[in-house]
Amino acid sequence: MPEPMTQRSAQPGEPLEPLVPLEVVISTAELAWRSCRAPQYQAESEVLVELAGQLLRSPREHAGAPG
């Protein structure tokens, strides 16, 4: 496994260097052996509708702004 990086770029306007390589975070080999699940579109839709309603009722609270 590659060694994690410990420093970031200090130059203004330059992109930051990653602290860890992408391969450490994403493991497609692990995903290959996991079983698949059928999508639950109705449940996902209900959750998204509830989340949207919560955001409409209290946008500052959910955006992390001081309330």
Side-chain angles (χ1 to χ4, degrees):
M1 182 181 331
E3 285 293 316
M5 301 171 85
T6 57
Q7 297 181 357
R8 290 183 176 246
S9 171
Q11 299 298 321
E14 287 187 17
L16 296 176
E17 294 292 327
L19 293 176
V20 295
L22 185 60
E23 294 79 20
V24 173
V25 180
I26 298 176
S27 178
T28 50
E30 182 177 335
L31 294 175
W33 66 264
R34 291 185 181 187
S35 61
C36 295
R37 292 189 298 204
Q40 298 179 352
Y41 299 119
Q42 183 65 35
E44 291 175 12
S45 175
E46 291 170 5
V47 169
L48 290 172
V49 167
E50 176 62 26
L51 176 60
Q54 291 289 332
L55 289 171
L56 284 172
R57 288 188 288 280
S58 183
R60 288 175 51 101
E61 180 181 319
H62 294 284

Short mmCIF file of all heavy atoms in Angstrom, two decimals:
data_model
loop_
_atom_site.label_atom_id
_atom_site.label_comp_id
_atom_site.label_asym_id
_atom_site.label_seq_id
_atom_site.Cartn_x
_atom_site.Cartn_y
_atom_site.Cartn_z
N MET A 1 0.85 -1.18 0.00
CA MET A 1 0.00 0.00 0.00
C MET A 1 0.89 1.24 0.00
O MET A 1 1.87 1.31 0.72
CB MET A 1 -0.90 -0.01 1.24
CG MET A 1 -1.83 1.18 1.25
SD MET A 1 -2.96 1.38 2.64
CE MET A 1 -3.30 -0.21 3.23
N PRO A 2 0.54 2.27 -0.78
CA PRO A 2 1.36 3.48 -0.82
C PRO A 2 1.32 4.22 0.51
O PRO A 2 0.35 4.16 1.25
CB PRO A 2 0.70 4.34 -1.91
CG PRO A 2 -0.29 3.47 -2.59
CD PRO A 2 -0.56 2.31 -1.70
N GLU A 3 2.41 4.89 0.82
CA GLU A 3 2.48 5.69 2.04
C GLU A 3 1.60 6.92 1.92
O GLU A 3 1.59 7.57 0.88
CB GLU A 3 3.93 6.14 2.29
CG GLU A 3 4.81 5.03 2.80
CD GLU A 3 4.41 4.58 4.19
OE1 GLU A 3 4.13 5.42 5.06
OE2 GLU A 3 4.35 3.35 4.40
N PRO A 4 0.83 7.27 2.96
CA PRO A 4 0.02 8.49 2.90
C PRO A 4 0.89 9.73 2.84
O PRO A 4 1.97 9.76 3.42
CB PRO A 4 -0.79 8.46 4.19
CG PRO A 4 -0.45 7.20 4.88
CD PRO A 4 0.66 6.53 4.17
N MET A 5 0.40 10.74 2.15
CA MET A 5 1.11 12.02 2.10
C MET A 5 0.76 12.80 3.36
O MET A 5 -0.33 12.67 3.90
CB MET A 5 0.70 12.79 0.85
CG MET A 5 1.00 12.04 -0.43
SD MET A 5 0.28 12.85 -1.85
CE MET A 5 1.56 14.02 -2.20
N THR A 6 1.69 13.61 3.83
CA THR A 6 1.44 14.34 5.07
C THR A 6 1.49 15.85 4.89
O THR A 6 1.25 16.58 5.82
CB THR A 6 2.48 13.95 6.14
OG1 THR A 6 3.79 14.20 5.62
CG2 THR A 6 2.35 12.49 6.51
N GLN A 7 1.81 16.33 3.69
CA GLN A 7 1.90 17.77 3.48
C GLN A 7 0.99 18.19 2.34
O GLN A 7 0.70 17.42 1.44
CB GLN A 7 3.33 18.18 3.15
CG GLN A 7 4.29 17.90 4.29
CD GLN A 7 5.70 18.34 3.92
OE1 GLN A 7 5.96 18.79 2.82
NE2 GLN A 7 6.60 18.20 4.86
N ARG A 8 0.56 19.44 2.41
CA ARG A 8 -0.26 20.02 1.34
C ARG A 8 0.51 21.18 0.71
O ARG A 8 1.40 21.73 1.31
CB ARG A 8 -1.59 20.52 1.90
CG ARG A 8 -2.50 19.39 2.31
CD ARG A 8 -3.82 19.95 2.79
NE ARG A 8 -4.74 18.90 3.09
CZ ARG A 8 -5.85 18.67 2.43
NH1 ARG A 8 -6.19 19.43 1.42
NH2 ARG A 8 -6.65 17.71 2.77
N SER A 9 0.09 21.57 -0.48
CA SER A 9 0.71 22.69 -1.15
C SER A 9 0.43 23.97 -0.38
O SER A 9 -0.69 24.21 0.08
CB SER A 9 0.14 22.82 -2.56
OG SER A 9 0.56 24.01 -3.16
N ALA A 10 1.44 24.80 -0.22
CA ALA A 10 1.26 26.05 0.52
C ALA A 10 1.17 27.25 -0.40
O ALA A 10 1.07 28.37 0.06
CB ALA A 10 2.44 26.23 1.50
N GLN A 11 1.22 27.04 -1.71
CA GLN A 11 1.19 28.14 -2.66
C GLN A 11 -0.23 28.59 -2.93
O GLN A 11 -1.07 27.77 -3.27
CB GLN A 11 1.85 27.71 -3.98
CG GLN A 11 3.30 27.32 -3.84
CD GLN A 11 4.15 28.45 -3.34
OE1 GLN A 11 3.97 29.60 -3.73
NE2 GLN A 11 5.10 28.14 -2.46
N PRO A 12 -0.54 29.86 -2.77
CA PRO A 12 -1.89 30.35 -3.06
C PRO A 12 -2.25 30.11 -4.52
O PRO A 12 -1.43 30.28 -5.41
CB PRO A 12 -1.82 31.85 -2.76
CG PRO A 12 -0.60 32.03 -1.93
CD PRO A 12 0.33 30.91 -2.27
N GLY A 13 -3.48 29.68 -4.76
CA GLY A 13 -3.94 29.47 -6.12
C GLY A 13 -3.62 28.11 -6.69
O GLY A 13 -4.12 27.74 -7.74
N GLU A 14 -2.77 27.33 -6.01
CA GLU A 14 -2.45 25.99 -6.48
C GLU A 14 -3.36 24.98 -5.79
O GLU A 14 -3.74 25.17 -4.64
CB GLU A 14 -0.99 25.63 -6.15
CG GLU A 14 0.02 26.36 -7.01
CD GLU A 14 1.43 25.86 -6.76
OE1 GLU A 14 1.59 24.77 -6.19
OE2 GLU A 14 2.36 26.58 -7.14
N PRO A 15 -3.73 23.91 -6.48
CA PRO A 15 -4.58 22.90 -5.84
C PRO A 15 -3.84 22.23 -4.69
O PRO A 15 -2.62 22.09 -4.71
CB PRO A 15 -4.88 21.91 -6.96
CG PRO A 15 -3.87 22.17 -8.02
CD PRO A 15 -3.38 23.58 -7.84
N LEU A 16 -4.61 21.84 -3.68
CA LEU A 16 -4.03 21.15 -2.54
C LEU A 16 -3.60 19.75 -2.93
O LEU A 16 -4.26 19.08 -3.72
CB LEU A 16 -5.04 21.08 -1.39
CG LEU A 16 -5.47 22.40 -0.79
CD1 LEU A 16 -6.55 22.17 0.25
CD2 LEU A 16 -4.29 23.11 -0.16
N GLU A 17 -2.51 19.28 -2.35
CA GLU A 17 -2.07 17.91 -2.56
C GLU A 17 -2.91 17.01 -1.66
O GLU A 17 -3.20 17.37 -0.52
CB GLU A 17 -0.58 17.77 -2.19
CG GLU A 17 0.34 18.55 -3.09
CD GLU A 17 0.37 17.98 -4.50
OE1 GLU A 17 0.24 16.75 -4.66
OE2 GLU A 17 0.52 18.77 -5.44
N PRO A 18 -3.33 15.86 -2.14
CA PRO A 18 -4.12 14.97 -1.29
C PRO A 18 -3.30 14.43 -0.13
O PRO A 18 -2.09 14.24 -0.24
CB PRO A 18 -4.54 13.84 -2.23
CG PRO A 18 -3.54 13.88 -3.34
CD PRO A 18 -3.08 15.31 -3.45
N LEU A 19 -3.96 14.20 1.01
CA LEU A 19 -3.28 13.63 2.16
C LEU A 19 -3.09 12.12 1.99
O LEU A 19 -2.16 11.55 2.55
CB LEU A 19 -4.06 13.92 3.43
CG LEU A 19 -4.12 15.39 3.83
CD1 LEU A 19 -5.00 15.57 5.05
CD2 LEU A 19 -2.73 15.93 4.10
N VAL A 20 -3.98 11.47 1.27
CA VAL A 20 -3.87 10.04 1.00
C VAL A 20 -4.16 9.79 -0.47
O VAL A 20 -4.94 10.51 -1.08
CB VAL A 20 -4.83 9.20 1.87
CG1 VAL A 20 -4.48 9.30 3.33
CG2 VAL A 20 -6.25 9.57 1.64
N PRO A 21 -3.57 8.77 -1.04
CA PRO A 21 -3.88 8.45 -2.44
C PRO A 21 -5.32 7.95 -2.58
O PRO A 21 -5.88 7.36 -1.67
CB PRO A 21 -2.89 7.33 -2.79
CG PRO A 21 -1.96 7.21 -1.65
CD PRO A 21 -2.53 7.92 -0.49
N LEU A 22 -5.90 8.18 -3.73
CA LEU A 22 -7.28 7.79 -4.00
C LEU A 22 -7.48 6.28 -3.80
O LEU A 22 -8.52 5.84 -3.33
CB LEU A 22 -7.68 8.20 -5.41
CG LEU A 22 -9.12 7.98 -5.81
CD1 LEU A 22 -10.06 8.75 -4.88
CD2 LEU A 22 -9.34 8.40 -7.24
N GLU A 23 -6.48 5.48 -4.14
CA GLU A 23 -6.59 4.03 -4.02
C GLU A 23 -6.82 3.58 -2.58
O GLU A 23 -7.38 2.51 -2.34
CB GLU A 23 -5.33 3.35 -4.58
CG GLU A 23 -5.14 3.54 -6.06
CD GLU A 23 -4.55 4.91 -6.42
OE1 GLU A 23 -3.94 5.57 -5.54
OE2 GLU A 23 -4.73 5.33 -7.56
N VAL A 24 -6.41 4.38 -1.61
CA VAL A 24 -6.62 4.03 -0.21
C VAL A 24 -8.08 4.22 0.18
O VAL A 24 -8.61 3.51 1.03
CB VAL A 24 -5.70 4.90 0.69
CG1 VAL A 24 -6.01 4.70 2.16
CG2 VAL A 24 -4.25 4.58 0.40
N VAL A 25 -8.75 5.17 -0.46
CA VAL A 25 -10.13 5.49 -0.12
C VAL A 25 -11.12 4.62 -0.90
O VAL A 25 -12.12 4.17 -0.35
CB VAL A 25 -10.41 6.99 -0.40
CG1 VAL A 25 -11.84 7.35 -0.07
CG2 VAL A 25 -9.43 7.86 0.36
N ILE A 26 -10.86 4.37 -2.16
CA ILE A 26 -11.77 3.62 -3.02
C ILE A 26 -11.21 2.22 -3.25
O ILE A 26 -10.07 2.07 -3.69
CB ILE A 26 -11.96 4.33 -4.38
CG1 ILE A 26 -12.58 5.69 -4.15
CG2 ILE A 26 -12.80 3.48 -5.32
CD1 ILE A 26 -12.71 6.51 -5.39
N SER A 27 -12.00 1.22 -2.93
CA SER A 27 -11.56 -0.16 -3.09
C SER A 27 -12.54 -0.91 -3.99
O SER A 27 -13.49 -1.52 -3.51
CB SER A 27 -11.45 -0.84 -1.73
OG SER A 27 -11.08 -2.19 -1.90
N THR A 28 -12.30 -0.88 -5.30
CA THR A 28 -13.19 -1.57 -6.22
C THR A 28 -13.07 -3.08 -6.06
O THR A 28 -14.03 -3.81 -6.32
CB THR A 28 -12.91 -1.17 -7.68
OG1 THR A 28 -11.52 -1.27 -7.92
CG2 THR A 28 -13.39 0.22 -7.96
N ALA A 29 -11.94 -3.58 -5.60
CA ALA A 29 -11.80 -5.02 -5.38
C ALA A 29 -12.77 -5.47 -4.29
O ALA A 29 -13.40 -6.53 -4.41
CB ALA A 29 -10.36 -5.34 -4.98
N GLU A 30 -12.94 -4.70 -3.25
CA GLU A 30 -13.88 -5.05 -2.18
C GLU A 30 -15.31 -5.01 -2.70
O GLU A 30 -16.13 -5.86 -2.35
CB GLU A 30 -13.73 -4.10 -1.01
CG GLU A 30 -14.65 -4.44 0.15
CD GLU A 30 -14.47 -3.54 1.35
OE1 GLU A 30 -13.38 -2.97 1.52
OE2 GLU A 30 -15.44 -3.41 2.10
N LEU A 31 -15.63 -4.03 -3.54
CA LEU A 31 -16.99 -3.93 -4.08
C LEU A 31 -17.34 -5.12 -4.96
O LEU A 31 -18.50 -5.50 -5.06
CB LEU A 31 -17.14 -2.63 -4.87
CG LEU A 31 -17.05 -1.35 -4.06
CD1 LEU A 31 -17.09 -0.14 -4.98
CD2 LEU A 31 -18.15 -1.28 -3.02
N ALA A 32 -16.36 -5.73 -5.59
CA ALA A 32 -16.61 -6.84 -6.50
C ALA A 32 -17.19 -8.06 -5.79
O ALA A 32 -17.99 -8.80 -6.37
CB ALA A 32 -15.32 -7.23 -7.22
N TRP A 33 -16.85 -8.29 -4.54
CA TRP A 33 -17.35 -9.49 -3.85
C TRP A 33 -18.64 -9.24 -3.08
O TRP A 33 -19.27 -10.18 -2.60
CB TRP A 33 -16.29 -10.09 -2.93
CG TRP A 33 -15.88 -9.24 -1.77
CD1 TRP A 33 -14.81 -8.40 -1.72
CD2 TRP A 33 -16.52 -9.13 -0.50
NE1 TRP A 33 -14.75 -7.78 -0.50
CE2 TRP A 33 -15.79 -8.21 0.28
CE3 TRP A 33 -17.65 -9.71 0.08
CZ2 TRP A 33 -16.14 -7.87 1.58
CZ3 TRP A 33 -17.99 -9.37 1.38
CH2 TRP A 33 -17.24 -8.46 2.12
N ARG A 34 -19.07 -8.00 -2.93
CA ARG A 34 -20.31 -7.70 -2.21
C ARG A 34 -21.52 -8.09 -3.05
O ARG A 34 -21.54 -7.92 -4.26
CB ARG A 34 -20.39 -6.22 -1.87
CG ARG A 34 -19.39 -5.79 -0.85
CD ARG A 34 -19.61 -4.36 -0.50
NE ARG A 34 -18.63 -3.92 0.47
CZ ARG A 34 -18.66 -2.75 1.07
NH1 ARG A 34 -19.61 -1.89 0.78
NH2 ARG A 34 -17.75 -2.42 1.94
N SER A 35 -22.56 -8.57 -2.37
CA SER A 35 -23.78 -8.93 -3.09
C SER A 35 -24.55 -7.66 -3.45
O SER A 35 -24.45 -6.63 -2.79
CB SER A 35 -24.65 -9.85 -2.23
OG SER A 35 -25.02 -9.18 -1.03
N CYS A 36 -25.35 -7.77 -4.50
CA CYS A 36 -26.14 -6.64 -4.97
C CYS A 36 -27.50 -6.63 -4.27
O CYS A 36 -28.02 -7.67 -3.91
CB CYS A 36 -26.35 -6.72 -6.48
SG CYS A 36 -24.83 -6.56 -7.40
N ARG A 37 -28.05 -5.45 -4.11
CA ARG A 37 -29.41 -5.31 -3.58
C ARG A 37 -30.28 -4.69 -4.65
O ARG A 37 -29.81 -3.88 -5.44
CB ARG A 37 -29.42 -4.37 -2.36
CG ARG A 37 -28.72 -4.91 -1.16
CD ARG A 37 -28.97 -4.00 0.01
NE ARG A 37 -28.45 -2.67 -0.23
CZ ARG A 37 -28.10 -1.83 0.72
NH1 ARG A 37 -28.23 -2.17 1.98
NH2 ARG A 37 -27.64 -0.63 0.44
N ALA A 38 -31.54 -5.04 -4.61
CA ALA A 38 -32.50 -4.41 -5.53
C ALA A 38 -32.70 -2.96 -5.09
O ALA A 38 -32.71 -2.66 -3.90
CB ALA A 38 -33.83 -5.16 -5.49
N PRO A 39 -32.82 -2.04 -6.05
CA PRO A 39 -33.04 -0.64 -5.68
C PRO A 39 -34.38 -0.47 -4.98
O PRO A 39 -35.34 -1.19 -5.27
CB PRO A 39 -33.01 0.10 -7.01
CG PRO A 39 -33.11 -0.93 -8.07
CD PRO A 39 -32.75 -2.25 -7.48
N GLN A 40 -34.44 0.47 -4.06
CA GLN A 40 -35.67 0.77 -3.34
C GLN A 40 -36.07 2.20 -3.67
O GLN A 40 -35.97 3.10 -2.85
CB GLN A 40 -35.46 0.59 -1.84
CG GLN A 40 -35.11 -0.84 -1.46
CD GLN A 40 -34.88 -0.99 0.03
OE1 GLN A 40 -34.85 -0.02 0.78
NE2 GLN A 40 -34.72 -2.21 0.46
N TYR A 41 -36.56 2.38 -4.90
CA TYR A 41 -36.86 3.72 -5.39
C TYR A 41 -37.91 4.43 -4.55
O TYR A 41 -37.79 5.62 -4.27
CB TYR A 41 -37.31 3.67 -6.86
CG TYR A 41 -36.26 3.12 -7.78
CD1 TYR A 41 -36.49 1.97 -8.53
CD2 TYR A 41 -35.02 3.75 -7.91
CE1 TYR A 41 -35.52 1.46 -9.38
CE2 TYR A 41 -34.05 3.24 -8.76
CZ TYR A 41 -34.31 2.11 -9.49
OH TYR A 41 -33.36 1.61 -10.33
N GLN A 42 -38.95 3.73 -4.14
CA GLN A 42 -40.02 4.35 -3.36
C GLN A 42 -39.47 4.86 -2.02
O GLN A 42 -39.74 6.00 -1.63
CB GLN A 42 -41.16 3.35 -3.12
CG GLN A 42 -42.33 3.94 -2.37
CD GLN A 42 -43.05 5.04 -3.14
OE1 GLN A 42 -43.16 4.97 -4.36
NE2 GLN A 42 -43.52 6.06 -2.46
N ALA A 43 -38.69 4.05 -1.33
CA ALA A 43 -38.13 4.46 -0.04
C ALA A 43 -37.18 5.65 -0.23
O ALA A 43 -37.19 6.60 0.57
CB ALA A 43 -37.40 3.29 0.61
N GLU A 44 -36.34 5.60 -1.26
CA GLU A 44 -35.42 6.71 -1.52
C GLU A 44 -36.18 7.99 -1.81
O GLU A 44 -35.82 9.07 -1.32
CB GLU A 44 -34.51 6.37 -2.70
CG GLU A 44 -33.51 5.26 -2.40
CD GLU A 44 -32.72 4.87 -3.62
OE1 GLU A 44 -32.76 5.59 -4.64
OE2 GLU A 44 -32.04 3.83 -3.57
N SER A 45 -37.25 7.88 -2.58
CA SER A 45 -38.05 9.04 -2.92
C SER A 45 -38.68 9.65 -1.67
O SER A 45 -38.66 10.88 -1.48
CB SER A 45 -39.14 8.66 -3.92
OG SER A 45 -39.99 9.74 -4.17
N GLU A 46 -39.22 8.81 -0.80
CA GLU A 46 -39.83 9.31 0.44
C GLU A 46 -38.82 10.02 1.32
O GLU A 46 -39.11 11.07 1.89
CB GLU A 46 -40.49 8.15 1.18
CG GLU A 46 -41.71 7.60 0.47
CD GLU A 46 -42.21 6.29 1.06
OE1 GLU A 46 -41.67 5.84 2.10
OE2 GLU A 46 -43.16 5.73 0.48
N VAL A 47 -37.63 9.48 1.42
CA VAL A 47 -36.59 10.10 2.24
C VAL A 47 -36.18 11.45 1.65
O VAL A 47 -36.01 12.43 2.37
CB VAL A 47 -35.37 9.17 2.39
CG1 VAL A 47 -34.19 9.88 3.00
CG2 VAL A 47 -35.75 7.94 3.21
N LEU A 48 -36.03 11.51 0.33
CA LEU A 48 -35.64 12.77 -0.31
C LEU A 48 -36.73 13.84 -0.17
O LEU A 48 -36.43 15.01 0.04
CB LEU A 48 -35.30 12.55 -1.79
CG LEU A 48 -34.01 11.77 -2.02
CD1 LEU A 48 -33.86 11.43 -3.50
CD2 LEU A 48 -32.81 12.55 -1.52
N VAL A 49 -38.00 13.44 -0.26
CA VAL A 49 -39.10 14.38 -0.07
C VAL A 49 -39.09 14.91 1.37
O VAL A 49 -39.25 16.11 1.60
CB VAL A 49 -40.46 13.72 -0.42
CG1 VAL A 49 -41.62 14.56 0.06
CG2 VAL A 49 -40.55 13.49 -1.92
N GLU A 50 -38.86 14.03 2.34
CA GLU A 50 -38.80 14.46 3.74
C GLU A 50 -37.61 15.40 3.97
O GLU A 50 -37.74 16.42 4.64
CB GLU A 50 -38.69 13.24 4.66
CG GLU A 50 -38.52 13.58 6.12
CD GLU A 50 -39.70 14.36 6.71
OE1 GLU A 50 -40.83 14.23 6.20
OE2 GLU A 50 -39.48 15.11 7.68
N LEU A 51 -36.47 15.08 3.40
CA LEU A 51 -35.29 15.94 3.53
C LEU A 51 -35.56 17.31 2.93
O LEU A 51 -35.24 18.34 3.54
CB LEU A 51 -34.08 15.30 2.86
CG LEU A 51 -32.80 16.13 2.84
CD1 LEU A 51 -32.34 16.46 4.25
CD2 LEU A 51 -31.72 15.41 2.08
N ALA A 52 -36.15 17.35 1.75
CA ALA A 52 -36.46 18.63 1.11
C ALA A 52 -37.41 19.44 1.98
O ALA A 52 -37.25 20.66 2.14
CB ALA A 52 -37.06 18.40 -0.28
N GLY A 53 -38.41 18.78 2.56
CA GLY A 53 -39.34 19.48 3.44
C GLY A 53 -38.64 20.04 4.67
O GLY A 53 -38.92 21.18 5.09
N GLN A 54 -37.74 19.27 5.25
CA GLN A 54 -36.98 19.75 6.41
C GLN A 54 -36.12 20.96 6.04
O GLN A 54 -36.03 21.92 6.80
CB GLN A 54 -36.08 18.63 6.95
CG GLN A 54 -36.82 17.50 7.61
CD GLN A 54 -37.41 17.90 8.95
OE1 GLN A 54 -36.91 18.78 9.63
NE2 GLN A 54 -38.51 17.26 9.31
N LEU A 55 -35.50 20.92 4.87
CA LEU A 55 -34.68 22.05 4.44
C LEU A 55 -35.51 23.30 4.19
O LEU A 55 -35.07 24.41 4.47
CB LEU A 55 -33.88 21.67 3.18
CG LEU A 55 -32.75 20.68 3.41
CD1 LEU A 55 -32.20 20.21 2.08
CD2 LEU A 55 -31.66 21.28 4.27
N LEU A 56 -36.72 23.11 3.65
CA LEU A 56 -37.61 24.26 3.44
C LEU A 56 -38.05 24.87 4.76
O LEU A 56 -38.16 26.08 4.89
CB LEU A 56 -38.83 23.85 2.62
CG LEU A 56 -38.61 23.63 1.14
CD1 LEU A 56 -39.85 23.04 0.49
CD2 LEU A 56 -38.23 24.94 0.47
N ARG A 57 -38.32 24.03 5.74
CA ARG A 57 -38.78 24.52 7.04
C ARG A 57 -37.66 25.16 7.85
O ARG A 57 -37.90 26.07 8.63
CB ARG A 57 -39.42 23.38 7.84
CG ARG A 57 -40.77 22.96 7.30
CD ARG A 57 -41.46 21.97 8.21
NE ARG A 57 -40.87 20.64 8.21
CZ ARG A 57 -41.07 19.71 7.28
NH1 ARG A 57 -41.86 19.98 6.24
NH2 ARG A 57 -40.51 18.53 7.36
N SER A 58 -36.44 24.70 7.67
CA SER A 58 -35.35 25.18 8.51
C SER A 58 -34.03 25.20 7.74
O SER A 58 -33.12 24.45 8.07
CB SER A 58 -35.23 24.28 9.74
OG SER A 58 -34.24 24.74 10.60
N PRO A 59 -33.89 26.04 6.72
CA PRO A 59 -32.67 26.00 5.90
C PRO A 59 -31.41 26.39 6.66
O PRO A 59 -30.35 25.83 6.44
CB PRO A 59 -32.95 26.97 4.77
CG PRO A 59 -34.05 27.85 5.27
CD PRO A 59 -34.83 27.04 6.26
N ARG A 60 -31.49 27.34 7.57
CA ARG A 60 -30.29 27.76 8.30
C ARG A 60 -29.77 26.66 9.20
O ARG A 60 -28.56 26.46 9.31
CB ARG A 60 -30.58 29.02 9.12
CG ARG A 60 -30.74 30.26 8.27
CD ARG A 60 -31.14 31.45 9.13
NE ARG A 60 -30.28 31.62 10.26
CZ ARG A 60 -29.29 32.52 10.35
NH1 ARG A 60 -29.08 33.32 9.34
NH2 ARG A 60 -28.55 32.62 11.41
N GLU A 61 -30.66 25.94 9.85
CA GLU A 61 -30.26 24.89 10.76
C GLU A 61 -29.51 23.77 10.03
O GLU A 61 -28.52 23.25 10.50
CB GLU A 61 -31.49 24.31 11.46
CG GLU A 61 -31.18 23.21 12.44
CD GLU A 61 -32.44 22.67 13.08
OE1 GLU A 61 -33.32 23.47 13.43
OE2 GLU A 61 -32.54 21.44 13.22
N HIS A 62 -29.98 23.42 8.82
CA HIS A 62 -29.37 22.32 8.09
C HIS A 62 -28.14 22.74 7.30
O HIS A 62 -27.37 21.90 6.90
CB HIS A 62 -30.39 21.68 7.15
CG HIS A 62 -31.50 21.03 7.91
ND1 HIS A 62 -31.34 19.82 8.52
CD2 HIS A 62 -32.77 21.41 8.18
CE1 HIS A 62 -32.46 19.48 9.13
NE2 HIS A 62 -33.35 20.43 8.93
N ALA A 63 -27.94 24.02 7.11
CA ALA A 63 -26.78 24.50 6.36
C ALA A 63 -25.58 24.69 7.27
O ALA A 63 -24.51 25.05 6.80
CB ALA A 63 -27.11 25.80 5.63
N GLY A 64 -25.74 24.49 8.56
CA GLY A 64 -24.63 24.66 9.47
C GLY A 64 -24.44 26.07 9.94
O GLY A 64 -23.50 26.37 10.65
N ALA A 65 -25.34 26.99 9.56
CA ALA A 65 -25.23 28.37 9.99
C ALA A 65 -25.71 28.49 11.44
O ALA A 65 -26.58 27.72 11.87
CB ALA A 65 -26.07 29.27 9.09
N PRO A 66 -25.17 29.42 12.18
CA PRO A 66 -25.64 29.60 13.56
C PRO A 66 -27.13 29.97 13.57
O PRO A 66 -27.58 30.72 12.73
CB PRO A 66 -24.79 30.72 14.12
CG PRO A 66 -23.94 31.21 13.03
CD PRO A 66 -24.14 30.35 11.83
N GLY A 67 -27.86 29.39 14.48
CA GLY A 67 -29.30 29.59 14.50
C GLY A 67 -29.69 30.44 15.59
O GLY A 67 -30.41 31.02 16.11
#
